[in-house]
Amino acid sequence: MAVNKYQPHLIVIPEDDANRQIAVEFAAGCQTNRLRIDTVGGGWTTTVNLFLRDYAEDMRRFTGRSIVLIVDSDSKPDRISNIKEDIPKDIASRVFVIGCFDEPEKMRTDLGSFETIGRTMAKECIEGIDRIWQSDHLKHNSGEMNRLKIQMCDLFRNLGK
């Protein structure tokens, strides 16, 4: 089922297939019609360029739309903050950039399959807890996750189920 672009909703743009798998499982765990997983970007720079080219303008028309870019930091601490600098200021409050510190494949050793990771993220979001986000792979996302939780977890808990 497609999201209603005139209602509050979230679009996720994953950098690669591993992130897409996690996002799909997160969406399944949320059981909401207000979340859409879109095309894999094909690398972090391509994902950012795809967002800027194909999504930014629509966000100005559909003010209930929020977007999550899932990009790997590749062990570069400034990657997410550098990407956020490229987000247009007028829509920046509705754009979130998150991802694992290295690569999602490395998370599987500590956190389980991509299915387990995505479903756990959804469960914890709905329950208002964040144990998985405190792992070494994800804790660098705390600022973005706090913003995202305020805006989106209430949406999944209260709307569109």
Side-chain angles (χ1 to χ4, degrees), residues 1 11 14-15 22-23 33 41 49 57 71 76 84 88 104 106 114 120 128 131 139 147 151:
M1 179 182 285
I11 296 175
E15 169 186 344
I22 294 168
N33 61 357
N49 290 333
E57 191 58 39
V71 297
K76 294 179 174 43
K84 288 176 63 174
K106 293 188 179 181
F114 293 149
T120 301
R131 283 186 295 265
K139 65 184 178 185
R147 285 192 330 112
Q151 190 162 350

Side-chain angles (χ1 to χ4, degrees), residues 73 80 99-102 133 135-143:
S73 290
I80 289 175
C100 59
F101 187 69
D102 195 359
W133 291 100
S135 76
D136 289 339
H137 303 283
L138 298 169
K139 65 184 178 185
H140 67 284
N141 292 295
S142 63

Side-chain angles (χ1 to χ4, degrees), residues 22-133:
I22 294 168
V24 165
E25 295 303 329
F26 176 84
C30 288
Q31 299 178 355
T32 181
N33 61 357
R34 297 191 181 233
L35 174 62
R36 181 177 86 202
I37 313 302
D38 270 9
T39 306
V40 170
W44 72 270
T45 55
T46 305
T47 302
V48 173
N49 290 333
L50 174 72
F51 163 74
L52 293 170
R53 184 188 70 230
D54 295 348
Y55 294 84
E57 191 58 39
D58 276 352
M59 287 188 73
R60 293 178 179 100
R61 288 186 309 182
F62 304 116
T63 59
R65 177 172 290 172
S66 295
I67 292 189
V68 173
L69 304 175
I70 304 177
V71 297
D72 307 335
S73 290
D74 298 322
S75 299
K76 294 179 174 43
D78 296 334
R79 162 95 27 100
I80 289 175
S81 60
N82 290 340
I83 291 170
K84 288 176 63 174
E85 290 175 7
D86 291 337
I87 305 299
K89 302 297 181 229
D90 63 316
I91 58 173
S93 67
R94 296 182 289 125
V95 178
F96 305 89
V97 184
I98 61 172
C100 59
F101 187 69
D102 195 359
E103 296 179 358
E105 292 81 5
K106 293 188 179 181
M107 286 194 304
R108 286 191 290 199
T109 302
D110 296 336
L111 303 177
S113 68
F114 293 149
E115 178 181 5
T116 299
I117 294 167
R119 296 281 176 138
T120 301
M121 287 175 171
K123 182 178 185 289
E124 289 186 4
C125 179
I126 291 166
E127 294 174 357
I129 55 178
D130 62 357
R131 283 186 295 265
I132 198 164
W133 291 100

